[in-house]
Amino acid sequence: MAEVVHTPRVFSGIQPSGGLTLGNYLGAMKRFVDMQGSGIETIYCMVDLHAITVWQDPDKLRHATRELCAGFIASGLDPSKSILFNQSQVAEHTQLAWIFNCVARMGWMKRMTQFKDKAGKNAENASLGLFGYPALMAADILIYHATHVPVGEDQKQHLELTRDIAIKFNNDFGVEFFPVTEPVIEGAATRVMSLRDGSKKMSKSDPSDMSRINLTDDADTIAKKIRKAKTDPEPLPSEVKGLEGRPEARNLVNIYAALSDQGVDDVMRDVGGKQFGAFKPMLADLAVDKLAPISGEMARLMQDTGEIDRILADGASRARAIAAPILQKTYEIVGMVGA
Ligand code: TYM
């Protein structure tokens, strides 16, 4: 069968599970903005159905979904250029996820490290949704025939599974229907680490608030967290290879590079030889400069949740217009009468 060439289309999602971190911003949101307006359609989703795979208080979930939308817009996403919506408003995601539940294999799911991490020692007590999470994620992407998915490094395994599901579906039914999606894991900050421990990912679920910068932190808090970030006693090297074995130093340099849109090599040339006592204030100024306007704008947007809800409803109807025919065609391929 002739290879079908899919029109490039970008999709990505973030869970509204409370609190956006600098990791979310640099690994995902900032890069979503970079892809907007490049002539490719961009679709960005607040994945509320993924969030409830672990317990969410309903009022907090509503708040977090709207706050995430505000965060998207404050970071530079324009609802007239990108489609912004929350997942539960487009039922086609869950409808396709069911089909994918029947394509994906138990063994594939059992290998997912995010499930193992999140379920912890008591996997028997994890929700079935948490186990099936990656099939819904594959559906999020493939219901739009998305070809490119910008994410941080921690999502790589899920994207490989998405490719496996697309390939198996196409093989099982003898079609070239779903694209084999490309993960786009690029830039200096694909894995932002904790400010307290350079071997752990920066995460909203870390018990220590000092380990992360939140997009809602004010300027003083951002500066204080950077000042107190763990480092080593050596000055910064002038070449990247001098950062080997120095994960905390590497992390702060990566953050600096990503925030200033420079390569890590260029940053090293500028800051090589400096002590952390001099570098940390530079990083704090840069972080405040870039992040404080975002948190200010988020707070302003959150004063009019009606407007946010209108943006989400409009995005959902545009998303549905793309998703519905793809679901219809999938049902036909699978053999559903009436499709
Ligand atoms: P989530 O909500 O955990 O994270 C959203 C995005 O932020 C990135 N990220 C980071 N990047 C660099 N350093 C960090 N410390 C860091 N922490 C988080 C994540 O890699 C991600 O890109 N399963 C997804 C949500 C999802 C999705 C999708 C993504 C659902 N469906 C379809 C893409 C396409 C998740 O839990 O991301």
Side-chain angles (χ1 to χ4, degrees):
M1 187 170 291
E3 182 98 356
V4 177
V5 179
H6 291 274
T7 317
R9 185 179 277 153
V10 172
F11 179 92
S12 197
I14 297 189
Q15 295 192 61
S17 44
L20 285 165
T21 70
L22 181 65
N24 295 131
Y25 177 66
L26 293 177
M29 295 162 81
K30 184 169 186 299
R31 299 181 42 249
F32 297 176
V33 178
D34 294 340
M35 294 178 117
Q36 173 181 261
S38 56
I40 303 177
E41 186 164 31
T42 43
I43 307 175
Y44 299 121
C45 183
M46 285 120 254
V47 291
D48 46 10
L49 295 167
H50 275 115
I52 63 161
T53 56
V54 298
W55 169 252
Q56 303 293 333
D57 173 85
D59 286 334
K60 288 190 183 143
L61 177 63
R62 257 185 292 273
H63 178 83
T65 304
R66 291 174 175 139
E67 192 174 69
L68 177 53
C69 183
F72 276 167
I73 297 168
S75 305
L77 289 179
D78 175 345
S80 70
K81 292 191 184 141
S82 293
I83 297 180
L84 305 181
F85 71 106
N86 58 312
Q87 189 184 27
S88 57
Q89 289 206 61
V90 182
E92 283 79 0
H93 289 238
T94 33
Q95 291 173 291
L96 184 62
W98 181 259
I99 306 267
F100 287 169
N101 280 341
C102 303
V103 172
R105 305 289 94 181
M106 294 282 283
W108 300 1
M109 297 298 189
K110 282 187 182 155
R111 285 195 288 276
M112 294 293 114
T113 53
Q114 182 172 299
F115 176 75
K116 290 187 220 168
D117 291 348
K118 283 202 175 177
K121 288 195 183 67
N122 199 357
E124 291 293 310
N125 202 33
S127 72
L128 188 55
L130 189 66
F131 189 66
Y133 179 117
L136 177 60
M137 180 160 161
D140 294 339
I141 297 166
L142 295 173
I143 196 68
Y144 302 102
H145 278 186
T147 53
H148 294 82
V149 183
V151 282
E153 208 172 280
D154 59 348
Q155 295 302 314
K156 193 166 179 229
Q157 196 187 30
H158 284 157
L159 290 183
E160 279 159 9
L161 188 93
T162 300
R163 292 163 67 90
D164 290 342
I165 289 178
I167 292 168
K168 186 168 188 298
F169 181 97
N170 289 345
N171 282 342
D172 286 353
F173 294 99
V175 291
E176 284 290 340
F177 185 60
F178 287 115
V180 181
T181 304
E182 285 299 328
V184 187
I185 303 173
E186 283 169 2
T190 55
R191 190 170 172 82
V192 178
M193 308 308 277
S194 155
L195 298 178
R196 309 301 301 164
D197 176 352
S199 68
K200 277 187 9 202
K201 193 182 73 167
M202 182 181 284
S203 155
K204 54 191 145 198
S205 54
D206 192 311
S208 164
D209 194 55
M210 291 301 284
S211 70
R212 63 179 159 263
I213 291 172
N214 305 300
L215 281 197
T216 47
D217 284 344
D218 61 23
D220 286 348
T221 311
I222 296 173
K224 182 176 90 190
K225 286 178 175 175
I226 293 178
R227 210 167 49 240
K228 299 216 162 181
K230 187 177 166 202
T231 45
D232 57 42
E234 302 298 321
L236 284 160
S238 46
E239 286 183 19
V240 181
K241 65 175 183 314
L243 290 169
E244 266 167 41
R246 300 177 63 186
E248 284 84 12
R250 169 96 225 193
N251 188 38
L252 295 186
V253 168
N254 284 352
I255 293 173
Y256 190 94
L259 281 173
S260 62
D261 287 310
Q262 295 182 80
V264 177
D265 288 317
D266 297 325
V267 173
M268 296 324 295
R269 263 195 297 279
D270 289 349
V271 304
K274 281 195 199 302
Q275 296 286 347
F276 282 102
F279 177 63
K280 280 180 169 178
M282 283 171 65
L283 177 59
D285 284 349
L286 176 66
V288 167
D289 198 43
K290 300 282 178 183
L291 303 178
I294 298 179
S295 64
E297 181 63 3
M298 273 171 79
R300 193 188 68 76
L301 291 164
M302 282 301 280
Q303 285 171 359
D304 187 356
T305 52
E307 177 59 14
I308 291 185
D309 292 0
R310 273 190 293 282
I311 290 169
L312 292 174
D314 174 63
S317 83
R318 284 150 66 203
R320 227 176 282 123
I322 304 171
I326 292 178
L327 182 72
Q328 173 78 16
K329 183 75 193 157
T330 309
Y331 276 177
E332 261 174 49
I333 291 171
V334 172
M336 302 297 176
V337 171

